[in-house]
């Protein structure tokens, strides 16, 4: 029922929320949400191809508003970024995901996700001492650094300031770095020279039309070669169909994420995740 035009009564409108009053109310509600356990994390499997076995997970924040019901992160994360609330919110997300990662390692051993990916926004990366905060969370939770992946967009890294320094400091801890929505920014390829990336998340827009053989397929084919040549792990995002998966595999992709394999799910469900028989 979100975004149907009646915004104020029905929910936060992604366009309307740019208006100051709506934004202020959303931010105030979000601040309360942070303090009253309305927020939680779901995790989407990142799988190996062609079998669909669990490789890692990406943490995705969820909010169930007491009156409005579910509010999507595409609505409230931008609002949190504009108001600065993303800093405490992001700190909570990071700590929560690291605690969960430790639980999986304890409970599932070899079957635990090999990497737990946390989205970090531009604003967080710009905060002085962000890398030190990551280090502190790893120590507090006891999570091995190599299990954590910090996922940033290229625009976040190019935000200037100390973003790149913070990212290098995080990489120096042994934490993996993933570039999100890769290929949609302005200087994707230039970034690969300076940024300490381990993983490229190839944006869904290049996966969507891959089977119709348009330019998207050409880009997807070029990106996997770049990744192979630079020893980066490529993850195809937003894979929704068997045809897309087959074509990506043919192009050389070995990791994917998308509804075809699994939707984001509560942490308990990760323990019992198995590839669908058809994908084995
Ligand atoms: P993203 O980081 O690119 O995350 C992927 C989004 O695509 C998720 O939406 C996921 O549920 C969705 N998705 C996954 N597979 C498919 C598919 O096959 N088809 C389609 N149509 N969608 C798919 P979600 O959870 O609504 O998150 C939207 C965006 O909100 C994220 O995009 C990210 O930019 C932001 N976000 C979500 N959680 C966090 C968080 O914890 N921290 C920060 N900073 N941002 C977050
Ligand atoms: Ca992401
Ligand atoms: Ca993405
Ligand atoms: Ca995205």
């Amino acid at each position: 029922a979100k975004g149907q035009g009646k915004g104020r009564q029905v929910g936060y409108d992604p366009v309307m929320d740019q208006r100051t009053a709506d934004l202020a109310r959303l931010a105030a509600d979000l601040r309360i949400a942070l303090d009253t356990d309305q927020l939680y994390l779901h995790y989407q499997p990142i799988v190996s191809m062609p079998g669909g076995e669990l490789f890692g997970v990406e943490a995705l924040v969820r909010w169930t508003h007491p009156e409005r019901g579910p509010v999507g992160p595409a609505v409230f994360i931008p609002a949190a970024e504009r108001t600065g609330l993303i800093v405490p919110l992001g700190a909570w997300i990071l700590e929560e995901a690291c605690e969960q990662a430790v639980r999986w390692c304890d409970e599932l051993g070899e079957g635990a996700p090999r990497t737990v990916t946390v989205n970090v926004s531009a604003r967080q990366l710009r905060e002085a001492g962000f890398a030190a905060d990551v280090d502190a969370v790893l120590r507090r939770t006891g999570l091995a650094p190599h299990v954590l992946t910090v996922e940033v967009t290229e625009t976040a890294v190019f935000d200037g300031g100390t973003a790149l320094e913070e990212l290098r400091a995080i990489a120096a801890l042994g934490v993996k770095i993933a570039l999100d929505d890769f290929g949609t920014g302005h200087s994707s390829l230039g970034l690969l020279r300076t940024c300490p990336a381990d993983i490229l998340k190839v944006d869904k827009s290049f996966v969507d039309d891959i089977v119709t053989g348009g330019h998207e397929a050409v880009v997807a084919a070029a990106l996997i070669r770049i990744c192979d040549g630079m020893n980066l792990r490529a993850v195809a995002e937003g894979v929704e169909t068997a045809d897309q998966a087959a074509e990506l595999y043919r192009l050389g992709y070995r990791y994917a994420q998308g509804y075809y394999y699994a939707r984001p799910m509560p942490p308990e469900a990760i323990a019992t995740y198995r590839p669908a028989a058809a994908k084995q």
Side-chain angles (χ1 to χ4, degrees), residues 146-160:
H146 70 268
V147 179
L148 178 64
T149 297
V150 161
E151 190 162 299
V152 295
T153 62
E154 45 193 304
T155 31
V157 183
F158 262 120
D159 221 31

Side-chain angles (χ1 to χ4, degrees), residues 177-191:
I177 308 291
L179 293 178
D180 203 0
D181 305 340
F182 193 79
T184 60
H186 288 297
S187 344
S188 306
L189 298 180
L191 195 60

Side-chain angles (χ1 to χ4, degrees), residues 58-60 117-119 151-153 180-181 201 237 257:
E58 177 175 0
L60 295 160
T117 301
V118 176
N119 290 284
E151 190 162 299
V152 295
T153 62
D180 203 0
D181 305 340
K201 305 284 287 282
E237 286 197 289
Q257 190 177 344

Side-chain angles (χ1 to χ4, degrees), residues 41 44 58-62 72-78 81 86 89-90 93 118-122 124 151 153 180-181 201 203-204 208 237-241 244 257-264:
L41 300 183
Q44 185 177 31
E58 177 175 0
L60 295 160
V61 66
R62 297 290 178 259
V75 173
F76 70 82
I77 290 289
E81 283 169 349
I86 191 67
L89 174 59
I93 292 167
V118 176
N119 290 284
V120 168
S121 84
Q124 286 175 276
E151 190 162 299
T153 62
D180 203 0
D181 305 340
K201 305 284 287 282
D203 192 68
K204 181 178 189 310
D208 282 343
E237 286 197 289
V239 180
E240 293 182 342
T241 69
Q244 288 170 348
Q257 190 177 344
Y259 295 168
Y260 174 61
Y261 296 100
R263 294 199 171 234

